Amino acid sequence: MNGRPLAIWVVDDDASVRWVLDRALTNEGMETRTFESADQLFDALRKDRPDVLISDVKMPGMDGLEALGKITADGHAFPIIIITAHADLDSAVAAYRGGAFEYLPKPFDVDEAVALVRRAARVGPRRSGGQVEAERAVPTMLGRAPAMQEVFRTIGRLARSSMTVLITGESGTGKELVARALHEHSPRAQKPFIALNTTAIAAELLESELFGHERGAFTGADSRRIGRFEQADGGTLFLDEIGDMSPALQTRLLRVLAEGEFYRVGGQMPIRVDVRVIAATNQDLAEAVKDGRFREDLFHRLNVIHIETPPLRERREDIPLLMDHYLREAARELRIEPKRLTPDAQAQLVAFDWPGNVRQLVNACRRLTVTAPGAEIRPEDIPADLGGRSGVRAGTSDWSLRLSRWAEGALQDGTGKPLLETALPEFEKVLITTALAHARGHRQDAARLLGWGRNTLARKIREHRLD
Ligand SMILES: Nc1ncnc2c1ncn2[C@@H]1O[C@H](COP(=O)(O)OP(=O)(O)OP(=O)(O)O)[C@@H](O)[C@H]1O
Ligand SMILES: [Mg+2]
């Protein structure tokens, strides 16, 4: 950061927390100021401001969340990290809504706190007016390319409306993200957003899924069920993969859209709902209409506003931005320092065609974070399926090949358990045990070999019960 040390302010009534943070941050070359109370903090804020503020949530006088509200209301813009004992969900949510940058549960790892401060300083203040904004729920949508700017403009233009929108684009281009953003920026934001992937549900169940059913409507219907349309009342219903809907359901959907009412399966009473429909498909619907696979009248009803999400290869200028974001995110999940791309590796990835678009890029970032052996990702670390030359160093490629076979197998077993949930702890355990063995049990040395702080290693050893 242009040579000036970062100014970090800490407000906490607990002297030991102030001391620990003060020491850790000063050690990292940052300039710290500590305050015992919110009052002291506000005094100081009249003359100066920090790059990042760390605040306890519970303090005598004004509590951290209140202080946070006041800081944002006063128009100060700097990132704030809230610390509190116990990962208490309500205060975390309140912190995010109040505009806090991050939330650090106590007891915290000093290395983790330092990494968080650095990241907060890099990213800068969160845009917030202090009012309730469920911003955190929607992942950031990134893009500087003109085609993405057009998408953002359309979302902005529609912000006060409830018009039906059809989103088209290749797989993984962010259609669902756009749908969520439309909802979050609409007058319906406080009401439900219900997403339904019509292809994920067996055709014979889809009707009851959408419209619900009455008890006894069919064999197995032993109680009444509320369908997605009713759940979404007042809010938004996102119908994904609309192009694959059966002709019978297309007809029913058209009727609901035209009349605003429907019957539950087996029901006699019409149900009225107020639902905004957003539909998405990666098919060419106009083509499907021509081929007679999709009803033309339904197409026109859905296609009131059309948003097209561009394929990644048509907005290559955004690739470095996206890689940077998702490499950081993967590093945060793995609790390691983010890996950087060498200029050559970056050029190679920018030139790659990304048939799976942003989704493929997100996965690639996770994978490269795990497989690249050093702090930098070099061209030889890029696997062949991401356009890398296949002559990867034998050890790593053999290993990642086996890992990918394992993942394939696990997916086919279909236990539904997320891959990373199984693989990450295993991955950490293997590396920790190897490093400890290599360091003959010296934790400090093992931590250095792993690239972690000693506290992180100690915590991991406890977590994985390796002690
Ligand atoms: N512009 C973007 N900025 C940041 N992340 C993005 C962007 N577009 C997509 N992503 C991310 O890429 C992944 C895929 O996005 P999403 O699920 O919205 O795509 P989709 O078009 O609905 O894909 P599919 O057709 O396969 O359902 C998600 O993790 C999403 O957060
Ligand atoms: Mg999708």
Side-chain angles (χ1 to χ4, degrees):
M1 305 246 138
N2 46 39
R4 186 177 61 82
L6 287 174
I8 315 297
W9 293 7
V10 178
V11 47
D12 197 314
D13 59 326
D14 182 340
S16 63
V17 173
R18 290 200 305 271
W19 184 79
V20 166
L21 285 173
D22 183 35
R23 278 210 26 191
L25 297 169
T26 311
N27 262 341
E28 298 283 317
M30 304 182 198
E31 245 162 39
T32 58
R33 281 179 71 179
T34 61
F35 308 92
E36 279 173 51
S37 68
D39 287 344
Q40 285 185 358
L41 168 73
F42 284 113
D43 269 349
L45 275 175
R46 280 196 213 110
K47 292 177 218 102
D48 205 358
R49 43 156 290 178
D51 290 307
V52 177
L53 172 71
I54 307 179
S55 170
D56 192 14
V57 76
K58 291 211 178 64
M59 288 181 295
M62 191 186 284
D63 81 19
L65 295 181
E66 234 177 287
L68 185 64
K70 185 162 153 42
I71 289 168
T72 37
D74 289 352
H76 291 291
F78 44 80
I80 302 172
I81 297 172
I82 287 283
I83 34 177
T84 182
H86 287 296
D88 145 15
L89 192 64
D90 289 345
S91 61
V93 169
Y96 285 135
R97 294 201 163 162
F101 176 82
E102 266 297 0
Y103 173 71
L104 188 63
K106 228 173 6 186
F108 56 82
D109 188 300
V110 173
D111 298 339
E112 217 170 277
V114 170
L116 199 58
V117 167
R118 284 200 186 287
R119 196 161 64 89
R122 216 162 32 221
V123 178
R126 276 161 54 76
R127 164 178 64 81
S128 170
Q131 69 277 70
V132 177
E133 246 185 284
E135 219 186 311
R136 195 69 197 185
V138 183
T140 350
M141 209 188 313
L142 304 167
R144 297 202 184 112
M148 281 310 288
Q149 293 298 318
E150 184 56 41
V151 171
F152 295 155
R153 267 196 298 278
T154 310
I155 295 173
R157 261 203 314 274
L158 291 175
R160 301 255 62 87
S161 91
S162 281
M163 277 191 241
T164 308
V165 180
L166 177 65
I167 307 168
T168 58
E170 287 179 16
S171 180
T173 48
K175 296 186 292 297
E176 179 152 358
L177 212 53
V178 169
R180 287 183 186 275
L182 283 167
H183 173 75
E184 298 291 344
H185 290 94
S186 78
R188 299 167 175 257
Q190 304 304 321
K191 293 287 171 61
F193 174 89
I194 305 283
L196 180 66
N197 179 345
T198 50
T199 53
I201 291 164
E204 60 276 20
L205 294 179
L206 190 54
E207 188 176 8
S208 123
E209 186 73 33
L210 274 171
F211 306 112
H213 61 241
E214 294 296 342
R215 185 168 173 200
F218 47 84
T219 329
D222 37 18
S223 60
R224 167 191 282 175
R225 162 161 201 194
I226 302 299
R228 300 297 175 109
F229 258 100
E230 271 179 88
Q231 286 172 11
D233 195 13
T236 304
L237 179 64
F238 175 52
L239 297 173
D240 207 354
E241 313 290 355
I242 191 94
D244 297 307
M245 218 178 221
S246 74
L249 263 173
Q250 290 178 30
T251 306
R252 285 208 57 179
L253 181 59
L254 179 68
R255 201 170 307 145
V256 184
L257 294 179
E259 291 158 15
E261 61 179 38
F262 60 89
Y263 295 84
R264 295 193 189 113
V265 177
Q268 307 294 325
M269 286 269 295
I271 313 259
R272 281 219 141 254
V273 287
D274 164 29
V275 170
R276 176 196 203 177
V277 171
I278 300 180
T281 177
N282 51 21
Q283 300 186 18
D284 184 343
L285 271 195
E287 195 66 28
V289 168
K290 250 191 247 150
D291 295 351
R293 282 178 290 121
F294 202 83
R295 289 185 67 124
E296 183 167 9
D297 40 11
L298 179 58
F299 173 62
H300 290 305
R301 266 220 183 259
L302 295 173
N303 194 25
V304 179
I305 305 282
H306 178 204
I307 296 182
E308 169 100 33
T309 50
L312 195 50
R313 64 183 172 283
E314 284 174 18
R315 53 177 188 114
R316 292 185 195 275
E317 62 265 52
D318 286 342
I319 293 175
L321 183 77
L322 287 160
M323 296 279 320
D324 184 63
H325 176 79
Y326 284 109
L327 282 174
R328 280 178 207 289
E329 192 163 292
R332 192 158 51 91
E333 279 171 26
L334 285 157
R335 293 165 193 256
I336 59 174
E337 276 295 301
K339 306 235 159 158
R340 282 183 314 274
L341 293 164
T342 65
D344 285 353
Q346 173 155 318
Q348 206 172 316
L349 291 167
V350 168
F352 182 59
D353 265 344
W354 299 103
N357 295 299
V358 188
R359 173 169 303 112
Q360 186 180 17
L361 180 144
V362 175
N363 292 333
C365 287
R366 294 208 180 107
R367 196 161 127 202
L368 288 168
T369 297
V370 175
T371 56
E376 291 197 318
I377 297 167
R378 298 155 308 163
E380 56 267 39
D381 298 326
I382 300 173
D385 62 338
L386 294 175
R389 287 176 288 276
S390 41
V392 189
R393 288 175 317 105
T396 314
S397 72
D398 175 40
W399 173 70
S400 43
L401 189 67
R402 288 217 265 156
L403 183 61
S404 97
R405 290 218 186 98
W406 167 83
E408 210 34 72
L411 289 174
Q412 281 179 2
D413 288 348
T415 55
K417 194 161 174 206
L419 288 179
L420 286 169
E421 206 174 294
T422 319
L424 283 184
E426 214 37 58
F427 173 74
E428 288 187 344
K429 276 194 252 176
V430 170
L431 295 193
I432 293 169
T433 326
T434 313
L436 276 172
H438 189 85
R440 299 209 184 84
H442 284 293
R443 288 200 179 178
Q444 182 104 38
D445 294 349
R448 196 173 34 77
L449 294 171
L450 287 160
W452 272 340
R454 200 161 47 83
N455 291 323
T456 310
L457 176 60
R459 180 167 47 77
K460 289 289 183 182
I461 288 176
R462 270 195 316 275
E463 268 177 28
H464 297 312
R465 299 175 198 286
L466 293 172
D467 43 0

